[in-house]
Amino acid sequence: MPDSHYDVIIVGAGPAGLGAALYAARDRFKTLVLEKMIPGGQIYNTDRIENYPGIVRIDGPTLIEQMQTQVESFGAEIRTGSEVTRLEPLTDGHIAVCCDKDRHIGRAVILAPGSYFRKLGVPSEDEFRNAGAGVSYCGTCDAPFFRDKDVVAIGGGNTAIEETLHLAKYVKKVLLVHRRGEYRADRILVEELLAKAHEPGSNLVIKYHTVVTAIQGEGRVQSVKLKDVKTGREEDYPCEGVFIFVGMVPNTDFLRGIVDLTDMGFISCDSGYLRTRIPGVFAAGDCRLGAAMQLATAIADGVTAAMMIRVYFRDPSWWQKPVSDACQPLGW
Amino acid sequence: MAATKTIDVTDESFPSEVLESDIPVLVDYWAAWCGPCRMAAPVLEKIAEEYDGRLKVCRVNVDENREVASQYRIMSIPTILLFKNGELVDQITGVTPNFERDLKRKIDPHLD
């Protein structure tokens, strides 16, 4: 198959990639978005978005559908089922973006591959997960299978709290285990969580300064080992499901050796213009060093990268220049 | 939408469609409320097309077909089970980061 040529190739059709595509397409750049599954990314799994300014409440799939329609209406091409396996800087300054069966050449590339849930990293987590035997990373998906059962949820961020509240609607009892005494989550969600936990006879119970050190059972989850991090005391806690919400890891394995990655796998870039080590290759969204990992910031990243493309096309030597006021909109 | 190559199976049709199939069968357990299930769907559709004639791809809506869901102790969705000669030979739980590649890695050793 012959190479196809684009001005801008965007890797990933989550909020960052779609945000970038919107701006690139409106700038009349020939824009291609490559998505390994369907548009959406992690936000697709969220049924309750309340922190995106201007939209009081929306679910992930509806928002993404609207973003996709908007992006396509301005002429960007979105290719689903297209997993990028490799990136190759060419001698003429363009970048080859390789999928399984085809190759696309871009004058600029925006990397927006997103992130994937982090594993807890305790014995038997993978075994129970792979066997579908009681370890889950999606409360919205799996809560109905644990109707009237005891489960444990782990984490202290927004996702952990939202999903724990969702679980409480289905299960007999959910124990939320958090390694610290305070939450990373938005205060408003914490208040909702605490209100639910303080209801008389609540089926939502919280344990602070506690970690899960093992998941145990014969063929399916039957208990977890809890450890109080202050006293070191351990106990077995019987449960049939373990829901893990301990953050995200960037989907950047395919970029190893091409752009610079941090120890945790985040793409190194300058925080002002989102430029990576390779001229013409930007990073946007959850994948980049310093990402706030929010819907609004992912979109903002995509928009920033798309706007900086114009600066780069005008003057490729800009890539090596420090962040300055020369390319602010006022500057030209 | 283009004609689909995946086959919807029910509690009733599961034995004939899956267990008595002459070729290996991939069975996707899904539900409408599950975001990752919707993400998995186009990948399964692609697999169904690529492996046409060598592998059957079926889908079970767990809301409507609780019997075959509980029979295989489905506790997470999407769960994708691989059957050969009526036997469960492998499975994937959830949408993994390299879902298509992971599926093929499970499928390929079981094809004749």
Side-chain angles (χ1 to χ4, degrees):
Chain A
M1 207 180 276
D3 295 339
S4 51
H5 292 258
Y6 292 86
D7 294 315
V8 183
I9 299 176
I10 298 163
V11 182
L18 293 175
L22 176 65
Y23 272 65
R26 283 174 58 86
D27 247 345
R28 295 294 189 215
F29 290 132
K30 191 181 176 198
T31 303
L32 172 68
V33 186
L34 296 168
E35 165 56 48
K36 66 180 172 183
M37 281 183 266
I38 60 169
Q42 288 300 325
I43 202 72
Y44 201 85
N45 302 331
T46 308
D47 63 354
R48 177 181 157 187
I49 300 166
E50 295 173 328
N51 57 5
Y52 189 60
I55 295 180
V56 176
R57 185 166 178 159
I58 195 166
D59 62 274
T62 305
L63 178 72
I64 288 297
E65 200 180 297
Q66 290 181 13
M67 287 179 73
Q68 182 181 356
T69 306
Q70 188 182 19
V71 159
E72 287 176 332
S73 77
F74 291 110
E77 180 188 343
I78 300 177
R79 264 195 223 185
T80 56
S82 294
E83 182 174 356
V84 173
T85 51
R86 213 154 35 89
L87 215 65
E88 242 175 70
L90 305 176
T91 49
D92 63 0
H94 293 184
I95 300 116
V97 180
C98 310
C99 296
D100 237 8
K101 294 195 179 75
D102 43 13
R103 199 170 90 134
H104 313 279
I105 311 292
R107 293 169 65 205
V109 169
I110 300 175
L111 299 170
S115 59
Y116 189 69
F117 52 75
R118 180 187 301 284
K119 288 182 178 174
L120 188 60
V122 299
S124 301
E125 178 178 0
D126 284 343
E127 286 85 334
F128 286 121
R129 173 60 180 170
N130 295 340
V135 168
S136 174
Y137 304 87
C138 179
T140 327
C141 306
D142 299 338
F145 298 104
F146 293 86
R147 219 177 275 276
D148 306 320
K149 293 178 175 166
D150 286 339
V151 304
V152 167
I154 306 163
N158 284 348
T159 303
I161 292 186
E162 281 165 2
E163 297 280 69
T164 298
L165 286 164
H166 183 80
L167 283 164
K169 293 180 199 156
Y170 290 86
V171 303
K172 185 161 87 188
K173 181 178 164 189
V174 52
L175 173 72
L176 175 63
V177 174
H178 186 29
R179 65 188 161 143
R180 302 187 210 282
E182 58 187 353
Y183 295 93
R184 194 175 65 238
D186 299 345
R187 193 64 216 167
I188 194 161
L189 285 172
V190 175
E191 287 168 6
E192 194 181 332
L193 177 81
L194 298 180
K196 173 74 187 166
H198 290 151
E199 281 172 11
S202 176
N203 68 339
L204 196 168
V205 178
I206 304 167
K207 254 188 206 292
Y208 295 104
H209 304 294
T210 302
V211 292
V212 169
T213 55
I215 302 170
Q216 307 165 133
E218 292 291 326
R220 63 189 171 86
V221 172
Q222 290 170 314
S223 69
V224 292
K225 196 173 274 301
L226 299 178
K227 183 180 178 185
D228 184 314
V229 292
K230 287 191 157 169
T231 63
R233 226 186 105 243
E234 286 193 321
E235 61 167 316
D236 282 346
Y237 180 86
C239 63
E240 293 185 59
V242 182
F243 288 79
I244 299 168
F245 313 109
V246 292
M248 308 298 294
V249 284
N251 289 325
T252 52
D253 273 353
F254 71 105
L255 296 167
R256 210 163 280 284
I258 301 165
V259 294
D260 289 333
L261 301 180
T262 67
D263 290 347
M264 304 275 273
F266 291 96
I267 301 172
S268 296
C269 63
D270 73 82
S271 56
Y273 305 147
L274 310 177
R275 297 169 296 186
T276 68
R277 186 169 67 82
I278 302 175
V281 179
F282 296 85
D286 283 8
C287 67
R288 77 161 172 98
L289 175 64
M293 297 189 135
Q294 296 300 298
L295 171 62
T297 57
I299 293 172
D301 270 10
V303 172
T304 300
M307 292 194 75
M308 290 304 145
I309 279 176
R310 286 171 68 181
V311 183
Y312 169 64
F313 284 171
R314 281 170 99 229
D315 173 18
S317 74
W318 164 79
W319 201 267
Q320 310 302 343
K321 293 178 183 165
V323 175
S324 78
D325 54 10
C327 65
Q328 299 298 320
L330 277 177
W332 53 304
Chain B
M1 204 174 154
T4 167
K5 277 245 186 311
T6 58
I7 304 161
D8 287 320
V9 300
T10 62
D11 284 340
E12 291 72 36
S13 66
F14 192 90
S16 60
E17 202 67 76
V18 177
L19 301 179
E20 291 157 27
S21 168
D22 295 334
I23 54 174
V25 189
L26 206 58
V27 184
D28 168 33
Y29 287 81
W30 69 282
W33 72 73
C34 152
C37 298
R38 274 176 279 179
M39 300 197 112
V43 178
L44 292 161
E45 197 66 49
K46 194 172 163 195
I47 296 266
E49 266 171 38
E50 261 184 63
Y51 288 82
D52 191 23
R54 296 182 294 154
L55 174 86
K56 214 193 270 187
V57 180
C58 296
R59 307 193 71 206
V60 174
N61 181 325
V62 298
D63 257 344
E64 294 160 7
N65 302 284
R66 296 188 178 203
E67 215 169 285
V68 285
S70 68
Q71 189 182 344
Y72 291 96
R73 291 167 64 168
I74 303 300
M75 286 197 267
S76 275
I77 49 174
T79 285
I80 292 100
L81 303 183
L82 180 63
F83 289 88
K84 191 179 181 181
N85 301 323
E87 305 259 334
L88 174 62
V89 290
D90 214 335
Q91 73 179 81
I92 286 190
T93 314
V95 175
T96 53
N98 302 305
F99 190 51
E100 186 180 339
R101 219 178 312 157
D102 292 343
L103 277 172
K104 288 179 176 174
R105 243 175 237 160
K106 301 265 184 189
I107 296 164
D108 289 341
H110 294 288
L111 296 183
D112 297 322

